[in-house]
């Protein structure tokens, strides 16, 4: 399987070509995951799993993101299925997706100010950061 790193400034244009070029036809976004590399530069990464149904080919599009301001264009403009995957990356790791149609948290309360899948998030959570139901 092929994996390609794409600059975050070019990702939207490249993905449109991958989808629309009749010789490629990567028409299906199967999955997307966010990664916290826990390093000083380019700490975060998005990996999109793209499939060409006609040619039975798969490619992984990888985008390295800034450590301080992890942000990129939303790929919902190319593949609608990016919606939930990007919302999950926003909610759990804190990646911002510019031009996403509905970027809000999925699991955590909207006012929760932390990102539980970041590697610097405490294993036992942050005491009193979220109200728990009474027993």
């Amino acid at each position: 399987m092929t994996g390609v790193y794409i600059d975050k400034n070019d990702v939207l244009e490249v993905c449109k070509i991958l989808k629309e070029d009749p010789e490629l036809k990567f028409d299906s976004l199967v999955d997307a995951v966010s990664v916290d590399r826990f390093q000083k530069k380019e700490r975060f990464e998005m990996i999109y799993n793209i499939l060409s149904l006609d040619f039975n080919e798969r490619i992984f599009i990888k985008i390295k993101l800034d450590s301080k301001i992890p942000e990129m264009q939303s790929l919902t403009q190319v593949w609608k299925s990016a919606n939930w995957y990007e919302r999950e990356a926003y909610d759990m790791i804190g990646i911002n997706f510019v031009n996403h149609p509905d970027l809000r948290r999925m699991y955590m309360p909207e006012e929760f100010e932390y990102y539980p899948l970041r590697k610097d998030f405490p294993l036992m959570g942050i005491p009193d950061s979220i109200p728990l139901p009474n027993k």
Side-chain angles (χ1 to χ4, degrees):
M1 288 183 246
T2 304
V4 179
Y5 279 99
I6 299 175
D7 185 275
K8 73 175 191 169
N9 298 315
D10 301 325
V11 71
L12 197 56
E13 182 181 340
V14 169
C15 287
K16 285 179 181 178
I17 292 168
L18 286 171
K19 182 178 182 183
E20 296 166 5
D21 187 317
E23 293 183 22
L24 299 172
K25 288 183 80 174
F26 283 96
D27 47 7
S28 183
L29 171 63
V30 178
D31 192 19
V33 296
S34 53
V35 179
D36 180 355
R37 299 276 183 219
F38 204 55
Q39 57 194 24
K40 287 192 187 268
K41 289 184 73 174
E42 297 177 328
R43 174 179 174 177
F44 303 103
E45 187 173 318
M46 278 301 296
I47 303 170
Y48 292 87
N49 179 357
I50 315 296
L51 180 66
S52 170
L53 296 169
D54 286 359
F55 300 113
N56 195 26
E57 292 287 333
R58 181 180 310 267
I59 188 171
F60 291 92
I61 303 300
K62 302 176 181 185
I63 303 98
K64 292 182 179 182
L65 301 170
D66 185 61
S67 299
K68 296 194 187 306
I69 305 171
E71 150 176 300
M72 63 175 281
Q73 284 291 323
S74 172
L75 295 188
T76 56
Q77 302 166 61
V78 181
W79 296 285
K80 298 248 184 263
S81 59
N83 184 351
W84 288 93
Y85 303 124
E86 290 177 353
R87 280 186 60 194
E88 182 177 50
Y90 168 72
D91 191 7
M92 296 286 101
I93 290 205
I95 297 172
N96 184 43
F97 294 92
V98 178
N99 295 318
H100 189 283
D102 187 22
L103 194 60
R104 58 190 163 99
R105 297 196 98 143
M106 294 175 64
Y107 307 117
M108 305 307 294
E110 202 62 45
E111 63 278 356
F112 193 69
E113 55 191 82
Y114 307 102
Y115 302 102
L117 289 184
R118 285 190 177 184
K119 294 211 173 150
D120 54 0
F121 189 80
L123 288 176
M124 297 302 291
I126 298 172
D128 301 322
S129 63
I130 188 169
L132 299 175
N134 295 330
K135 289 186 178 183

